[in-house]
């Protein structure tokens, strides 16, 4: 999961860097609204992925319980 977040972070940053020069920040009002909205949403995506990468909890390794241990615990419960 960490690799997917990192790839999403890198791809969205690359899209913002590459696409910023093609956005019409000095066009008509509708063009400017689109350009600024696209930039803000791209920054939200970059920020969300970056924060999730920084603050995600580490997953503990799940170890299967041996069969013998489960049988002993069942015997203890039965009495």
């Amino acid at each position: 999961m960490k690799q997917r977040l990192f790839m999403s972070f890198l791809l969205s940053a690359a899209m913002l860097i590459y696409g910023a020069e093609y956005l019409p920040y000095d066009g008509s009002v509708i063009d400017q609204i689109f350009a600024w909205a696209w930039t803000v949403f791209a920054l939200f995506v970059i920020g969300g992925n970056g924060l999730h990468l920084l603050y995600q909890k580490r997953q503990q390794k799940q170890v299967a319980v041996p069969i013998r241990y489960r049988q002993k615990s069942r015997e203890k419960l039965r009495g």
Side-chain angles (χ1 to χ4, degrees), residues 2-16:
K2 200 170 195 179
Q3 293 87 8
R4 182 186 61 84
L5 288 170
F6 187 68
M7 287 300 296
S8 179
F9 176 78
L10 285 179
L11 288 174
S12 57
M15 280 179 45
L16 180 64

Side-chain angles (χ1 to χ4, degrees), residues 56-72:
Q56 76 182 19
K57 295 180 182 179
R58 294 186 182 183
Q59 295 177 354
Q60 296 178 355
K61 294 181 180 177
Q62 294 181 358
V63 179
V65 179
I67 295 174
R68 293 179 191 162
Y69 177 75
R70 288 195 312 186
Q71 288 176 348
K72 288 181 182 178

Side-chain angles (χ1 to χ4, degrees), residues 13-71:
M15 280 179 45
L16 180 64
I17 292 169
Y18 180 74
E21 64 186 77
Y22 294 107
L23 290 173
Y25 292 108
D26 57 352
S28 67
V29 175
I30 298 294
D31 292 340
Q32 288 179 1
I33 291 172
F34 172 77
W36 285 108
W38 193 89
T39 304
V40 167
F41 287 133
L43 290 174
F44 281 159
V45 169
I46 291 169
N49 285 322
L51 286 175
H52 194 73
L53 279 172
L54 289 176
Y55 294 114
Q56 76 182 19
K57 295 180 182 179
R58 294 186 182 183
Q59 295 177 354
Q60 296 178 355
K61 294 181 180 177
Q62 294 181 358
V63 179
V65 179
I67 295 174
R68 293 179 191 162
Y69 177 75
R70 288 195 312 186
Q71 288 176 348

